Amino acid sequence: MRTIVFFDLPVLYSADRKNYRKFKKYLIKEGFIMLQNSVYSKLCLNSQQADLLIQRIKKNSPKKGIIQVLKLTENQYSQIEYIIGNSNIKVESSEDSLIVL
């Protein structure tokens, strides 16, 4: 199961920029990897773990902006089609295993 977070947060004021940095650091601390600017992905073992992760994201999200979460199976995620550019091959570590993407 893959959890993808899309966000568009305001950065006009210094308080907004601080909230943006804090949220981005939170995602990285939770084990997310950046797919594109403001698009982060994390591997979850199952749907229940993804649901708990979404609850934690809700608790740590800023009050302004847009944050969207999408849950995908690994089969669905593997069908991503690249129009321009290539996949970045990275090594991602989950709690229970090492996965090479």
Side-chain angles (χ1 to χ4, degrees), residues 23 26 53-63 69:
F23 183 68
Y26 167 76
L53 178 63
I54 292 169
Q55 288 177 7
R56 290 194 306 270
I57 291 170
K58 287 179 182 178
K59 288 180 185 176
N60 289 282
S61 63
K63 303 295 182 225
V69 179

Side-chain angles (χ1 to χ4, degrees), residues 33-74:
I33 59 169
M34 186 173 75
L35 299 177
Q36 293 183 8
N37 289 336
S38 301
V39 179
Y40 284 74
S41 172
K42 180 177 180 179
L43 187 64
C44 296
L45 296 177
N46 54 42
S47 185
Q48 291 81 16
Q49 186 184 34
D51 292 338
L52 292 173
L53 178 63
I54 292 169
Q55 288 177 7
R56 290 194 306 270
I57 291 170
K58 287 179 182 178
K59 288 180 185 176
N60 289 282
S61 63
K63 303 295 182 225
K64 296 183 199 174
I66 298 171
I67 299 173
Q68 299 166 309
V69 179
L70 177 65
K71 294 189 308 184
L72 297 170
T73 64
E74 277 303 299

Side-chain angles (χ1 to χ4, degrees), residues 74-82:
E74 277 303 299
N75 188 34
Q76 291 169 324
Y77 183 79
S78 69
Q79 295 176 19
I80 290 177
E81 188 171 328
Y82 291 89

Side-chain angles (χ1 to χ4, degrees), residues 10 21 32-33 54 66 77 86 93 96 98:
R21 286 190 306 273
F32 281 84
I33 59 169
I54 292 169
I66 298 171
Y77 183 79
N86 296 318
S93 178
D96 296 334
L98 182 67

